[in-house]
Amino acid sequence: MQHIKQLIKDKLGASSQPAQAIEQHLKAAADWLLQAQRGTPDDGVAHSYDIRAGKWNASYPETTGYIIPTLYDYARHYQAPQYAQAAYRMTRWECDIQMADGGVRAGTMDAEIVAPTIFNTGQALFGWASAYTETGEEGFRVALTRAADWLLAAQDEDGAWRRFSSPFTTSKLNSYNTRSAFGLVRTAQALGDERYLQGAVANVDWTLGRAQENDWLPDNCLAQNPDQSALTHTLAYSIRGILEVGLAAGRDDHIERALRMARRVAAGQRRDGALPAYYTPDWRTRSNWSCVTGNSQMAINWLRLARITGETGLIEHARRANRFNMSIQDLRTDDLNVRGALKGSHPVNGGYMTYRYPNWATKFFMDGLMLEQLYDKIDNIG
């Protein structure tokens, strides 16, 4: 009954603890990602640990792809090569399971439907680009090129991706595919090929061309909600994609749009630092639980925007979101299946990844903390 115990702790506030040094939180998170890799029969990373079922779920190609650069960054920053070695094995696995057409399959490795998907392919680009940059291994360059070329071939003339949507989501036209465009940016940087940047810009231009006057993007959630609301997870995906494509392309209009959207999200931040899970098209919040992944992703967005635009007031929003997530990361348990991991929702019975610890929550948590450390170091030097 682990899930009931966790829910009671969450509801009573007993799962929160004072934040420790960032290094301690990062080490526990990195170790959990390696535990999640060991939880599968292959070298991918388990989709999640399910405390209700008491088991690891199968490897997830999409998020294993973008966990790879996180572990390379952590290994470099902390001079800990075992995490880079784990990332290397993940990358080799991604090469082994790449589909014949160059795309990356939807869902987990035990999914009954096997089909290439735009978003999952876009996320795998991050891993191949990072691993190729780190190692220079030819197989990683080939896999990266095949996947990026598949994305360009699947893109319509106006920049949209209308084909190859995920069979596991109810939304089929996705504004958060700007995150896949960001993957093309990383590809262009790794391979020195401007075609990929041009494809990324085309997608962001198409996406922003559909925005409402208040900067709200339609079709920006995993599900088609009756009130058109969007999860902070996918809101943050779209903002990051718009920002990074704009930065790479020298498009100030993209950066300004990302800034305005990030300010809107910041206005809904709770006093404890968490974000309500959903925002409506008028940028109001509508839930009393928090999507933990979205908290970390927005911390990253606010830190990036503060550095790029000079709007330093966003840094405090990022730190508060990071501290909230640090407070709910369990560093005390002896259960290695959850020690150092981040939940899908807080409380744990919230509507996103209910009673599960998804690998991407921990990945983005690490990215947010490492980015905060980097900026603190830069500021101290300055």
Side-chain angles (χ1 to χ4, degrees):
M1 303 297 285
Q2 184 181 10
H3 66 293
I4 300 299
K5 292 179 181 178
Q6 185 63 57
L7 177 59
I8 292 171
K9 286 171 63 178
D10 287 355
K11 293 289 190 179
L12 295 177
S15 57
S16 298
Q17 59 186 342
Q20 306 300 310
I22 284 180
E23 292 81 4
Q24 187 173 345
H25 288 275
L26 277 171
K27 177 65 163 56
D31 286 345
W32 184 83
L33 286 177
L34 267 57
Q35 182 76 2
Q37 186 181 33
R38 290 190 291 268
T40 72
D42 50 51
D43 278 329
V45 182
H47 171 282
S48 54
Y49 185 75
D50 187 329
I51 61 172
R52 185 161 43 188
K55 69 171 187 177
W56 291 99
N57 291 311
S59 291
Y60 196 17
E62 173 204 323
T63 58
T64 298
Y66 62 39
I67 285 170
I68 291 164
T70 298
L71 291 180
Y72 272 123
D73 288 346
Y74 182 76
R76 187 184 318 109
H77 188 61
Y78 283 97
Q79 299 180 341
Q82 66 269 32
Y83 301 97
Q85 293 162 6
Y88 179 84
R89 294 196 305 273
M90 293 173 194
T91 314
R92 291 293 301 269
W93 175 78
E94 289 278 6
C95 291
D96 290 343
I97 65 165
Q98 187 175 23
M99 301 189 73
D101 59 8
V104 174
R105 60 185 286 166
T108 55
M109 292 303 293
D110 60 354
E112 293 183 2
I113 301 173
V114 179
T117 306
I118 294 297
F119 191 78
N120 295 32
T121 304
Q123 307 324 295
L125 296 180
F126 290 95
W128 281 315
S130 175
Y132 175 62
T133 301
E134 291 282 342
T135 69
E137 189 160 314
E138 177 65 9
F140 298 162
R141 185 196 66 79
V142 171
L144 174 62
T145 303
R146 291 179 61 225
D149 286 348
W150 181 84
L151 277 176
L152 291 187
Q155 191 173 32
D156 292 338
E157 289 187 6
D158 61 1
W161 280 297
R162 294 181 175 86
R163 294 176 291 157
F164 304 109
S165 59
S166 173
F168 303 112
T169 62
T170 59
S171 60
K172 301 305 176 186
L173 192 65
N174 307 129
S175 291
Y176 60 82
N177 261 328
T178 58
R179 169 81 189 188
S180 299
F182 177 22
L184 287 175
V185 168
R186 287 287 184 258
T187 306
Q189 293 166 340
L191 300 180
D193 191 329
E194 287 296 302
R195 292 182 303 126
Y196 303 121
L197 179 58
Q198 292 167 7
V201 171
N203 178 257
V204 172
D205 281 343
W206 172 82
T207 302
L208 294 182
R210 303 175 71 235
Q212 297 180 6
E213 289 187 8
N214 68 350
D215 301 313
W216 181 263
L217 299 177
D219 305 307
N220 203 20
C221 199
L222 301 171
Q224 294 178 323
N225 300 311
D227 62 356
Q228 301 299 307
S229 59
L231 194 65
T232 53
H233 176 44
T234 47
L235 276 173
Y237 268 153
S238 63
I239 293 169
R240 183 79 190 277
I242 293 164
L243 171 64
E244 300 295 350
V245 172
L247 182 64
R251 291 286 298 269
D252 290 344
D253 56 328
H254 290 182
I255 297 170
E256 176 61 28
R257 188 70 66 99
L259 177 61
R260 295 202 302 262
M261 293 174 70
R263 287 175 183 152
R264 298 276 199 177
V265 178
Q269 190 174 27
R270 297 185 334 205
R271 187 171 298 179
D272 63 4
L275 295 168
Y278 281 97
Y279 284 69
T280 58
D282 58 359
W283 294 102
R284 297 181 184 273
T285 60
R286 73 156 177 84
S287 59
N288 57 9
W289 57 276
S290 183
C291 172
V292 176
T293 309
N295 295 335
S296 291
Q297 289 176 273
M298 282 309 306
I300 295 164
N301 289 342
W302 289 321
L303 289 168
R304 291 286 291 144
L305 282 160
R307 181 61 55 186
I308 292 163
T309 69
E311 189 156 325
T312 56
L314 295 175
I315 295 174
E316 183 59 24
H317 289 287
R319 286 183 171 148
R320 288 172 56 209
N322 278 343
R323 292 305 170 279
F324 176 84
N325 279 3
M326 290 163 73
S327 77
I328 62 171
Q329 182 195 29
D330 194 343
L331 303 181
R332 297 172 292 192
T333 182
D334 294 328
D335 184 355
L336 298 182
N337 295 322
V338 297
R339 176 179 167 81
L342 277 295
K343 293 170 287 192
S345 300
H346 185 81
V348 73
N349 68 332
Y352 182 69
M353 293 291 126
T354 307
Y355 293 117
R356 283 176 282 178
Y357 289 73
N359 66 42
W360 56 98
T362 301
K363 171 267 190 311
F364 284 114
F365 176 69
M366 289 185 66
D367 289 345
L369 295 189
M370 286 192 287
L371 198 56
E372 182 180 328
Q373 278 191 321
L374 172 65
Y375 287 176
D376 284 346
K377 182 178 180 181
I378 292 171
D379 290 340
N380 289 335
I381 291 173

